[in-house]
Amino acid sequence: MTLHSQTGLTSVLRQYTHAAHEQLDHRMTGLDLFSSHERYTVFLVVQYLFHRDVSDLYARADVAALVPDMDSRNRLELVERDMQDLCVPYPMVRRNPPVAGSVSAAIGWLYVAEGSKLGANILAKRAQDMGLTESFGARHLAPDAQGRAYGWQSFKAAVDHAPLDTAICISHAEAAFERVTQYLDRCEPYLQAA
């Protein structure tokens, strides 16, 4: 079922996941994850867990056939390097890759991962206030080589009018937001000591 032929898939996904996205943004803001290095490490762990889960989606041939430069878009290695910079231990949490059998399901998850790069502009500035940069501690928040807008616009152009199942994309994008929320729930107790 393709419902996005007129408006574009990313607009439909934005509309249907708006509430989940807003809820997650408000929660992260409320936790003040950029107020100290200790709190930022919780943010890094959440990023690591989510990007580790979706990492394999970037290597899928069906996704690469649809979206350009997929191999260079994966930020897991950058998150890992940020963790190493700040001596953040890898969490003892089992990897939980999404069950995304179709390309539509994979795009739902990648919509969340790729879309988060747009908001990273503000987060990168907050990280700079703590002395973190795109070469130390905040590599994964840096823009792509061609700039923040280019990466998103090329992703958007590739998927907006592709023959994808909108309902599947929506349900998997919602699942991706829920996964980040679950990891935040799991890590939040560590903020009590931060």
Side-chain angles (χ1 to χ4, degrees):
M1 172 202 283
T2 303
L3 303 173
H4 58 271
S5 58
Q6 294 294 322
T7 58
L9 177 62
T10 55
S11 293
V12 173
L13 288 171
R14 184 172 53 251
Q15 176 187 351
Y16 279 88
T17 62
H18 177 76
H21 191 180
E22 284 291 303
Q23 185 177 14
L24 181 59
D25 278 351
H26 288 308
R27 177 112 179 270
M28 288 188 140
T29 301
L31 292 173
D32 210 8
L33 298 175
F34 285 75
S35 63
S36 69
H37 278 220
E38 292 77 20
R39 292 179 95 74
Y40 176 74
T41 61
V42 170
F43 172 78
L44 266 184
V45 168
V46 170
Q47 292 291 303
Y48 168 76
L49 292 170
F50 178 72
H51 287 286
R52 182 183 66 172
D53 285 353
V54 300
S55 183
D56 290 348
L57 299 179
Y58 286 90
R60 282 180 43 165
D62 57 351
V63 173
L66 182 63
V67 183
D69 311 328
M70 282 311 293
D71 57 335
S72 66
R73 292 172 178 269
N74 190 341
R75 288 182 287 167
L76 178 60
E77 182 182 332
L78 297 174
V79 174
E80 290 174 334
R81 290 176 64 196
D82 290 340
M83 292 173 71
Q84 291 162 9
D85 288 342
L86 300 173
C87 300
V88 178
Y90 291 105
M92 300 298 288
V93 176
R94 184 186 307 267
R95 187 171 173 266
N96 188 15
V99 178
S102 69
V103 69
S104 296
I107 292 301
W109 284 85
L110 291 169
Y111 165 80
V112 175
E114 290 297 301
S116 70
K117 293 178 181 179
L118 292 173
N121 187 40
I122 294 166
L123 300 180
K125 289 176 183 170
R126 302 235 12 232
Q128 279 183 328
D129 292 342
M130 292 188 293
L132 305 175
T133 68
E134 58 188 58
S135 59
F136 181 85
R139 288 177 177 85
H140 79 285
L141 298 175
D144 294 327
Q146 302 92 339
R148 245 175 250 290
Y150 174 82
W152 174 250
Q153 291 302 325
S154 63
F155 178 81
K156 184 177 179 323
V159 304
D160 264 352
H161 301 290
L164 297 168
D165 186 309
T166 304
I168 290 175
C169 288
I170 291 169
S171 69
H172 284 268
E174 289 172 335
F177 278 116
E178 178 59 27
R179 179 73 57 86
V180 177
T181 300
Q182 289 169 356
Y183 285 142
L184 193 57
D185 289 345
R186 191 169 197 157
C187 294
E188 188 173 356
Y190 296 101
L191 293 170
Q192 306 305 321

